[in-house]
Amino acid sequence: MTYVVTETCIKCKYTDCVDVCPVDCFREGPNMLVIDPDECIDCTLCVAECPVEAIFAEDDVPDGQKDFIALNADLAKSWKALIEKKEQLPEADEYSKIKEKRQFLER
């Protein structure tokens, strides 16, 4: 099992999760993070660190978000590893309150 970043991360990109990851499994896109399932060791440390609760165990991804399992795996192949915390996106606080934001995903 691996962990998955879901829709809630889009246009926020808080990186508190990156700071606690012992294996550097996070990948950074233009306005979202994903987890590389081949690198994730299922340690759970990232889950509690996400201020918008965007990270779930693969088996616990909400029904409307299941496509993010494959999306994380796919995007992790082309996005660059992020290994240290950085500032969230300028609009993060505003977009953290929005639940449906797939249309904003930049690949």
Side-chain angles (χ1 to χ4, degrees), residues 36-90:
D36 183 336
D38 294 330
E39 297 292 327
C40 181
I41 59 169
D42 310 326
C43 70
T44 76
L45 294 173
C46 60
V47 176
E49 294 301 316
C50 181
V52 293
E53 300 177 354
I55 304 172
F56 295 87
E58 185 175 357
D59 292 342
D60 296 331
V61 172
D63 286 337
Q65 305 278 307
K66 298 274 188 207
D67 57 321
F68 278 85
I69 297 169
L71 185 71
N72 273 240
D74 183 47
L75 295 175
K77 294 174 187 171
S78 58
W79 286 358
K80 186 176 178 182
L82 182 62
I83 57 173
E84 59 185 25
K85 183 177 175 164
K86 59 193 276 187
E87 288 296 315
Q88 71 268 9
L89 293 175

Side-chain angles (χ1 to χ4, degrees), residues 8 14 21 27 74 82 90 94 98 105:
T8 310
Y14 293 101
C21 181
R27 303 294 180 259
D74 183 47
L82 182 62
E94 175 187 346
I98 298 171
L105 177 62

